[in-house]
Amino acid sequence: MILPTDGAHGAVTRERWRSASLSEAWLRPGDWYHPAVDAVVEALVEGRSPEAPAHRLGCARSSAGISLDETLEDVVCLYRAVGHPVDAAVIRSIALGWVHGRERQPALNGVRDPATGLPTADYLGERLRETYGRAARAGTPVPESHCLVVIDVAVDELDAWQRMARSASVGRTLDQVFGDGHPMAALADGVFTVLCERTPELARLSQTVRRIVERNAQVLGVADTMRRPVRVWLEQLPVTHDAALDLLQHLQR
């Protein structure tokens, strides 16, 4: 694809941004470009604030079905590519644009939370059903084989964009640390959990989660939206699946 250019410096900056994003954050190369990308680059190259075009880009990303996590990380790649610190005002603007774009879409019921990209609590409940079923067939009690890692970053009095940006940051962290094969969910505003097998490394992994949550929050400029220190603990699962669902309900309060 030949992309529009607005001067040699702008074209070079845009291509550096695109290359960084495709290698570090973006999932589908064919849908990265949008005309608002050029407006963001033009403002940055000319020394103007990119807040307004960032808002348009955030709205476009949301309308295209791009997660907030991927949208924000894309902007971080831009600042990393040009060697500038991330502008928290631009992060706020693109997050607000993403939220506004989401509000224009019809409500959809699904298994994933749009802000974090993580599964919902209902989906995790079904994965727990499978876990208890396998445990029953193997004769191994679930409390001995599995537990929940719970991450609590909640603080009060945040506006919508701050909550969304915080959720996206935590969702990215959980994907980084645990990856595929670990059922996880966004339980409530600022509370997340991961279903894990009990292993000797689990306590160390929990501490790793705390450090990366805090580091990613600093990178995205959303550290002020999280409790410090971040709370991470291991939650023992009960004996039955019904009791595990009750536990998830409790953690969502």
Side-chain angles (χ1 to χ4, degrees), residues 157-224:
E157 299 179 356
L158 299 181
D159 59 30
W161 88 265
Q162 288 174 315
R163 291 195 301 272
M164 297 286 276
R166 180 185 64 186
S167 294
S169 177
V170 176
R172 173 173 173 76
T173 298
L174 297 185
D175 276 338
Q176 285 178 328
V177 175
F178 294 98
D180 294 335
H182 286 86
M184 55 187 75
L187 293 182
D189 183 24
V191 181
F192 309 83
T193 192
V194 184
L195 175 63
C196 293
E197 294 184 7
R198 287 189 175 276
T199 65
E201 295 79 24
L202 191 55
R204 178 188 55 79
L205 192 61
S206 299
Q207 297 306 310
T208 300
V209 170
R210 176 183 290 110
R211 291 195 300 272
I212 300 181
V213 164
E214 294 177 349
R215 184 192 69 192
N216 283 352
Q218 290 285 351
V219 170
L220 286 173
V222 296
D224 291 343

Side-chain angles (χ1 to χ4, degrees), residues 131-132 134-136 138-147 198 237-240:
T131 300
Y132 277 85
R134 288 194 299 269
T140 304
V142 169
E144 295 180 9
S145 62
H146 290 76
C147 67
R198 287 189 175 276
L237 284 166
V239 174
T240 68

Side-chain angles (χ1 to χ4, degrees), residues 143-160:
E144 295 180 9
S145 62
H146 290 76
C147 67
L148 297 177
V149 176
V150 184
I151 301 94
D152 181 359
V153 300
V155 293
D156 296 330
E157 299 179 356
L158 299 181
D159 59 30

